[in-house]
Amino acid sequence: KCGGELEATVSKKRNPRIIIFNIPEEITLENAVQALTTQNQGLEKFENQIQTKFAFEDKRKNKNLILEVCSAARREILGRKLKLGWNMCNWDDYVKVGRCFKCCKYKHRAIDCRGQQTCPNCAENHAKKECQSNKENFKCINCINYKKYNKDNSINENHSALDPTCPCYQAALKLYHQNTDY
C-alpha cells in the first residue's frame, strides 16, 4: 500500500565511551587524542575515530577525561592501562543513563521534562530536599509505574529511585549496553 514512500532502516548502535582516570594536567581536550594515539601502540590507526567529549574533576580533584572511541579501538585497549604523558592511567567504560531530576524517569533531562515534580525517595510530589521520609518508607516511582502498567508483583518498589540496584535502573543500563557497539 505504501509503494515507494516508506523506507526501513536499521538503527545504528552508538560508539562506546570510556573514562580515563587521573590524567596529567598537561593533557587538554585539544591534545588528548594525539597524546593517546602516539603513546599507546596500536591506537595510531584509530586517531580519526577517537573524539574527546569532556573532562571533569572528581571529589579528590583528579582530572578525568571522557572519550568516544570506535569498538575496534576499545577492543585494542582492553586489559591494559593507557599511557598519557608520564602517567599510566586506568580506564573504564563510561556508562551514563539519562535521568530526569524533576520526575525521576529516564531518557530525558529536567530542562526538557513535562512531568510533575517527584521526590526520588518517597515518590510524593515534592523536591528531595523537602523529603521527611526515612529509609523504611522509600518508594521508587519507576517501579510503581512499572507495576501499574505490567501487573508484575515480583518487582519490589521499597527503595529510592536513585538506588543503583533498582530493577528499572538495571533495565535502563541493559538497554544502554544493548544499543552500544562493543
Side-chain angles (χ1 to χ4, degrees):
K1 293 181 179 180
C2 295
E5 299 172 23
L6 222 51
E7 184 178 325
T9 59
V10 177
S11 61
K12 186 177 180 234
K13 291 186 173 189
R14 72 171 66 90
N15 282 330
R17 289 186 175 189
I18 62 169
I19 179 171
I20 304 175
F21 300 104
N22 200 14
I23 65 170
E25 286 298 320
E26 64 267 10
I27 301 297
T28 64
L29 292 177
E30 292 77 29
N31 69 2
V33 173
Q34 200 246 342
L36 187 71
T37 55
T38 55
Q39 290 184 303
N40 294 281
Q41 186 178 5
L43 287 183
E44 57 276 346
K45 59 188 169 213
F46 302 113
E47 185 171 4
N48 295 334
Q49 298 169 330
I50 299 174
Q51 298 175 341
T52 56
K53 290 300 178 181
F54 59 94
F56 66 95
E57 283 188 357
D58 61 13
K59 293 177 186 175
R60 296 181 179 164
K61 303 292 183 197
N62 294 324
K63 189 175 170 186
N64 300 314
L65 178 68
I66 308 299
L67 298 172
E68 186 172 296
V69 299
C70 63
S71 58
R74 183 185 171 275
R75 283 191 296 272
E76 182 72 34
I77 62 172
L78 271 176
R80 69 182 210 196
K81 292 185 178 188
L82 296 173
K83 298 173 193 162
L84 275 176
W86 292 97
N87 293 9
M88 294 293 289
C89 301
N90 291 320
W91 69 276
D92 200 2
D93 289 319
Y94 182 74
V95 178
K96 185 80 169 161
V97 176
R99 182 193 323 247
C100 175
F101 289 107
K102 181 180 172 191
C103 70
C104 298
K105 294 180 182 172
Y106 300 108
K107 296 185 181 176
H108 70 277
R109 299 180 308 167
I111 197 168
D112 304 321
C113 184
R114 289 187 232 128
Q116 63 183 13
Q117 179 77 44
T118 305
C119 176
N121 290 338
C122 66
E124 298 293 326
N125 294 342
H126 59 262
K128 182 182 177 194
K129 62 184 172 186
E130 301 166 1
C131 188
Q132 302 294 319
S133 294
N134 55 16
K135 287 191 176 193
E136 291 82 36
N137 297 333
F138 280 1
K139 295 281 184 192
C140 175
I141 188 65
N142 295 313
C143 292
I144 291 170
N145 286 337
Y146 180 82
K147 284 175 82 168
K148 183 167 72 173
Y149 293 111
N150 292 296
K151 308 290 187 241
D152 185 358
N153 291 326
S154 66
I155 298 291
N156 180 14
E157 63 193 38
N158 297 325
H159 57 270
S160 169
L162 303 174
D163 188 351
T165 62
C166 171
C168 292
Y169 177 71
Q170 292 297 321
L173 273 178
K174 183 179 178 185
L175 187 63
Y176 183 93
H177 286 296
Q178 286 174 347
N179 292 327
T180 304
D181 185 21
Y182 288 114

